[in-house]
Amino acid sequence: MSTCALPHAFISRMRESLQEEYEEFEDVLEGEAISSIRLHPVKAKGVENQLPLISSNVPWHPHAYYLRERPTFTLDPFYHAGTYYVQEAASMMLYQMCEFKDAVTILDLCAAPGGKSTLLAGAMPEGSFLVSNEVIANRTKILAENMSRWGNPATLILQNDPVAFQAMAEFFDYLIVDAPCSGEGLFRKDPQSRERWSESAVEACAARQKRILADALPSLKPGGYLIYSTCTFSPEENEEIIRWLLRSFPKELTLAPVPGLEKFGSIPLSLEGEAYAAYRCMPHKLQGEGLFISRLRKKGNTEAFSWIIPRPAKMDKTTSAFLATHTLPPSHLAAEVFQDKLFLRHPAHAQFHKKPFRIKANGLYAGKIHRMDVAPSHELALSEILRKDILPMWELTYEQAISYLRKEEIRIPPPKDKGWLLITYQGQALGWAKAVGKRSRNHFPVNWRIKKHTYRQ
Ligand code: SAM
């Protein structure tokens, strides 16, 4: 039960729109939020049954589950391994809007903290390329951390205003705009959001949403999809934005309805005479928070890009051997050496090495090259292309895993050959340790460690 009251103006707007359903809606909004997670399609294979709190499937995503209660995720080694991402269930409806067949280029324009980006990275076909952008500087940090934990190397993280993407005319097959909004759909999960709400905030958000869309639209390819979503109920930020798009760009945009999602309890909306033009998810109709989602298509057609993988960088024997023994490089990634750093990247990343793009993370940083060896990076341990079958590993108990994640010294037998050990918990990679004499050094990144005073509730 929340201590922050629902704003009066919000109550009267919702009463008017929901009529006799309003009481049921308010009861649910004042109840407990439901927790859900989405499993990593590659890493989580085989560990589903070891996640104790899982209750039932989220019906609209093949790898997502509701939890019986909300644990302290920080104290779950699976969370640190990127075995799953904690995501509110309704926002996973995006999965149903993407019709991925061949490799695609995707721009997730408003990406932090990374819920939609990790969903896309887990669903896009091999050969695809995802740009996750977040304009607010201090939110790119958590975005980069979540993307590293997810571990798909065919990604690029940028920190740019939407207008910057005019430099990438007709580049993306999918433009995902999960817009900043007045947040009414979060009133249950995050009661503080009730205090930030006002009718003028709704108006200001609508104006900003129009600017964001108009600025980014040129970057969408003819034939490509624009998926627009918010976590609010107000028509000004939802249906009216879609009508505004159709009115403002009549030669370019058309609705691209997705029939059938009403079977999940989402409410189909007709716009401009088109059925299933958008959906609204409401907490009294399905197990999830509030969401509006709509799909449009840019008229016309363009050929898909075919990316040429550059010849591998000239590498010394040590580096080539490191790659062969540590990674399963999918055919669409190129190895690149920059100074003493080894990267694996999708060839499309090079298109963003120009003004005005501010790159925050670029592909997979695999390790630091020394004269005699390569020090594997933490990102490599979490990567879905890590070659676990032949690496020396050390499996930890739960207590040991937590102490490893606190960056304490862990007692492991030094490996036979001096060198790096992959640290695992139930087979999931957590990071590295290195044998130093009779002891081992914990290489978990200091900034990511579990803080001293985090204990189970
Ligand atoms: N897509 C994210 C996810 O699923 O985890 C949530 C995105 S949140 C709804 C909207 C994001 O838009 C926020 O991270 C916010 O910082 C960003 N934002 C704020 N102002 C913006 C602007 N003017 N242009 C683009 N993005 C903006």
Side-chain angles (χ1 to χ4, degrees):
M1 183 81 181
S2 164
T3 47
C4 303
L6 289 170
H8 287 303
F10 171 76
I11 296 178
S12 42
R13 286 160 67 98
M14 292 310 288
R15 227 181 242 292
E16 198 183 321
S17 111
L18 292 174
Q19 306 274 322
E20 67 278 7
E21 264 180 47
Y22 178 78
E23 304 302 333
E24 188 194 350
F25 167 74
E26 189 180 314
D27 277 356
V28 174
L29 212 58
E30 296 294 14
E32 283 286 311
I34 308 156
S35 299
S36 45
I37 57 174
R38 180 169 37 73
L39 302 191
H40 194 291
V42 179
K43 296 191 203 178
K45 270 191 194 135
V47 295
E48 296 91 335
N49 301 335
Q50 289 153 52
L51 299 162
L53 292 176
I54 275 180
S55 68
S56 54
N57 291 71
V58 174
W60 48 93
H61 195 289
H63 306 301
Y65 297 88
Y66 294 107
L67 301 182
R68 283 196 297 279
E69 59 188 73
R70 193 174 178 86
T72 307
F73 289 109
T74 329
L75 294 178
D76 184 0
F78 287 126
Y79 168 80
H80 296 271
T83 313
Y84 61 76
Y85 185 90
V86 184
Q87 188 174 30
E88 188 286 301
S91 49
M92 301 181 207
M93 206 59 85
L94 170 64
Y95 181 83
Q96 297 288 333
M97 295 266 166
C98 300
E99 281 173 25
F100 296 140
K101 289 185 198 91
D102 303 316
V104 279
T105 47
I106 309 175
L107 170 58
D108 184 8
L109 187 64
C110 313
K116 308 280 186 312
S117 273
T118 53
L119 182 148
L120 295 159
M124 61 192 196
E126 176 151 342
S128 300
F129 178 62
L130 169 65
V131 176
S132 300
N133 177 68
E134 170 57 47
V135 66
I136 311 275
N138 63 12
R139 288 174 62 82
T140 54
K141 208 169 138 213
I142 182 68
L143 172 65
E145 200 173 306
N146 283 332
M147 293 300 281
S148 292
R149 223 176 263 132
W150 196 254
N152 184 327
T155 54
L156 172 70
I157 299 176
L158 299 178
Q159 189 224 316
N160 277 96
D161 186 273
V163 77
F165 292 92
Q166 297 194 353
M168 296 305 292
E170 304 190 350
F171 184 81
F172 295 102
D173 297 296
Y174 276 80
L175 168 59
I176 313 294
V177 180
D178 188 31
C181 69
S182 61
E184 298 163 355
L186 301 178
F187 282 179
R188 176 167 66 167
K189 190 177 137 198
D190 170 19
Q192 303 301 320
S193 61
R194 299 171 181 202
E195 287 174 2
R196 292 190 291 270
W197 186 91
S198 66
E199 286 186 299
S200 56
V202 169
E203 259 174 55
C205 286
R208 182 165 56 176
Q209 288 149 358
K210 289 177 186 167
R211 182 181 73 78
I212 291 174
L213 285 161
D215 282 349
L217 196 57
S219 68
L220 186 62
K221 270 187 198 166
Y225 290 106
L226 161 64
I227 301 180
Y228 175 78
S229 59
T230 70
C231 55
T232 206
F233 304 117
S234 71
E236 296 92 319
E237 299 176 70
N238 295 331
E239 295 93 310
E240 285 178 26
I241 294 288
I242 304 299
R243 289 196 186 97
W244 170 83
L245 275 170
L246 294 168
R247 261 197 330 270
S248 309
F249 304 96
K251 291 200 180 125
E252 289 179 70
L253 288 176
T254 178
L255 290 164
V258 187
L261 307 193
E262 67 283 7
K263 66 174 177 277
F264 301 124
S266 53
I267 303 161
L269 304 174
S270 292
L271 294 174
E272 314 291 294
E274 279 276 11
Y276 306 108
Y279 287 89
R280 197 188 318 284
C281 299
M282 304 205 69
H284 66 302
K285 294 287 185 193
L286 50 65
Q287 281 201 74
E289 306 304 319
L291 181 89
F292 169 90
I293 191 157
S294 176
R295 193 175 74 172
L296 298 98
R297 191 170 169 274
K298 203 174 211 181
K299 294 175 188 173
N301 266 311
T302 29
E303 290 284 304
F305 292 127
S306 57
W307 298 106
I308 297 161
I309 310 289
R311 283 156 65 94
K314 272 205 170 162
M315 257 177 240
D316 55 57
K317 270 193 191 153
T318 315
T319 313
S320 320
F322 174 84
L323 273 180
T325 50
H326 286 71
T327 65
L328 301 163
S331 52
H332 63 280
L333 295 180
E336 290 181 24
V337 174
F338 182 68
Q339 292 165 350
D340 58 352
K341 292 193 168 80
L342 174 64
F343 293 90
L344 285 165
R345 289 167 171 160
H346 189 287
H349 84 90
Q351 309 282 323
F352 293 84
H353 285 238
K354 61 181 177 188
K355 277 190 179 165
F357 294 112
R358 284 204 292 257
I359 296 179
K360 293 285 145 179
N362 193 352
L364 171 65
Y365 164 52
K368 187 162 181 189
I369 304 167
H370 300 287
R371 225 153 37 105
M372 304 300 282
D373 77 343
V374 180
S377 70
H378 187 63
E379 289 83 348
L380 178 62
L382 299 181
S383 163
E384 61 187 43
I385 61 164
L386 177 74
R387 186 161 183 198
K388 283 203 285 186
D389 57 337
I390 54 169
L391 287 174
M393 295 197 220
W394 189 254
E395 171 73 16
L396 303 183
T397 62
Y398 176 79
E399 282 69 26
Q400 287 173 320
I402 295 299
S403 80
Y404 174 75
L405 296 166
R406 289 189 193 279
K407 206 165 166 59
E408 294 163 358
E409 191 184 324
I410 44 161
R411 285 180 178 277
I412 52 171
K416 276 197 212 99
D417 304 317
K418 252 199 192 179
W420 295 91
L421 262 185
L422 183 68
I423 299 299
T424 61
Y425 171 72
Q426 310 236 6
Q428 302 286 297
L430 294 179
W432 305 99
K434 192 175 186 198
V436 185
K438 287 196 172 158
R439 296 169 55 191
S440 65
R441 185 172 294 149
N442 182 338
H443 276 263
F444 192 72
V446 71
N447 297 339
W448 290 28
R449 76 189 186 285
I450 302 179
K451 301 280 170 344
K452 249 190 185 156
H453 300 296
T454 314
Y455 295 103
R456 269 189 170 158
Q457 285 160 353

